[in-house]
Amino acid sequence: MSIKRVGTGTHTVLVLHGWFGSSRSWQALLPHLDREAFGYVFLDYRGYGDRRGETGRYSIAEAAGDVLAAADELGVDCFSLLGHSMGGSVMQRVYADAPDRVKALVGVSPVPASGVPFDEQSRQLFEGAADSPANRRAIIDFTTGNRLTGTWLDAMVRHSLEHSDRDAFAAYLPAWARTDFHTEIKGSDVPIQVIAGRHDPALGAETMRATFGAWYPNLELEIFPDAGHYAMDESPVALATCVERFLGRH
């Protein structure tokens, strides 16, 4: 497995990307990270980034197993997890499978462990995204509040097209949207921080309180006023500050 590490700190943070992302989608965050306190490891799922062409079941459970295999390859017994969107589901699955190895969880607009329900219009939009760049652009625009420059939207679509295999991208949609294992993590006392963007209409504060807030007694919820679904691009300095302030306590 190709592993990208940033920082030499003893606190290892495994970083998990979203459906439209890859291990490279955190670039705007990198200049603001404390590389002496933390060691960030940016991972790709099968079919994404440096693992394009690698086949599999493209499931949340498989992705979590690959994360644990990466930790073993690194020789890291205990670590924290930072997951964006779909990566929020994966990080919770890692915790469910290996709770003794996880120091803390941080979710950035994370998918709940119960999945995400769609109305019919949204379902068609999302299911068409594998074959339609226009659908991908519309989703990114919608989930950031229809307020950001088209130049950035186009770059996000290009990244998605260039860093994911079509079939993997298509298969991960039902994986994150329909996988429900929330009964396995409900009541967990793991330290967890969730960061929601005020301009995210789907995975915003209300959804986070109804899901993560109901399941994790130690949840710390942060609302970013100037972000939608992509805080690492929209508010990178604030995100690095918030994440490291939380992880520094654990």
Side-chain angles (χ1 to χ4, degrees), residues 188-202:
S188 299
D189 62 358
V190 63
I192 180 169
Q193 178 188 64
V194 165
I195 296 160
R198 185 167 68 87
H199 299 283
D200 187 342

Side-chain angles (χ1 to χ4, degrees), residues 144 147 195-200 222-228 231 234-235 238:
T144 51
R147 70 191 220 289
I195 296 160
R198 185 167 68 87
H199 299 283
D200 187 342
E222 300 284 345
I223 313 300
F224 275 26
D226 297 318
E234 299 172 83
S235 302

